[in-house]
Structure formats: structure tokens, C-alpha cells
Amino acid sequence: RVQSTGSKSKMSDAIDRCVDMEADIDAVVDKLVNVKKEVLKTIERLDSAVEYNILHMRYIQGKDLQEIADHYGREYGWVTTTHGRALKNVQALLDENL
């Protein structure tokens, strides 16, 4: 005699776990999309187009600072300095909203 109820139960449990994990992943993706929208709204308020572009390339496009330096044909140090200034300006914008 072969008992198949055990394997059906295991399969059902595995499918249930997969469905739950998929729902969790969807929720995380939705949260990340919302955070990305908020980041965009904030950096769009910057006065400097260069600062906006650097933050956009870094945090929206996912480029590292060396890639950004190469894009601008500038030294890495210039990008790190400008990036730092841009972040300070973003912090000032956020502080205004408090």
C-alpha cells in the first residue's frame, strides 16, 4: 500500500509558501516604487541641475560615483564633493518640511 496523502500535503504546503512569498515580494516592490517616487519628488526640488543629475544617476539609475564621473568627464573627487553638497541641499529641503 502506498500512502500519497503525505506528499500531497507537502506539495500543498510548498505551494502555499510560494504564494505567500510572492505576495511578500509584491508588497516589498510596491514599497520600493513608492520610495523611489518620493526620492524623485524631493530631488526634483533642487535648484542645481548638476546636483539633480548626479543624485538621479546614483539613486534612480543605480550608477556608482565613478560611472558618474566618467559621464561628466570629471575626476572622482569632483563627483564625491558635488554629491555631498547635493545631499546637504536635499537635507535642507527635507528640514524645511518639518
Side-chain angles (χ1 to χ4, degrees):
R1 242 182 185 207
V2 176
Q3 293 183 349
S4 62
T5 57
S7 67
K8 283 184 183 179
S9 178
K10 287 181 184 179
M11 181 61 83
S12 176
D13 290 346
I15 290 171
D16 289 343
R17 282 193 307 274
C18 286
V19 169
D20 290 343
M21 287 174 27
E22 185 176 1
D24 291 344
I25 290 169
D26 287 343
V28 170
V29 168
D30 288 343
K31 185 176 179 179
L32 289 174
V33 167
N34 289 333
V35 168
K36 194 173 186 178
K37 286 178 184 178
E38 289 299 314
V39 168
L40 273 172
K41 272 199 260 183
T42 302
I43 67 173
E44 285 173 347
R45 294 173 49 205
L46 288 168
D47 292 329
S48 169
V50 171
E51 290 178 4
Y52 165 82
N53 287 334
I54 287 173
L55 294 182
H56 190 276
M57 286 192 282
R58 177 70 188 107
Y59 298 108
I60 304 303
Q61 296 175 7
K63 294 184 179 186
D64 65 33
L65 296 178
Q66 186 59 57
E67 290 174 306
I68 297 169
D70 294 343
H71 171 81
Y72 277 101
R74 304 293 291 263
E75 295 293 322
Y76 180 82
W78 175 84
V79 174
T80 59
T81 300
T82 307
H83 176 264
R85 185 173 49 248
L87 290 178
K88 284 181 185 177
N89 290 333
V90 164
Q91 186 61 56
L93 291 171
L94 294 173
D95 291 344
E96 286 176 7
N97 291 337
L98 294 179

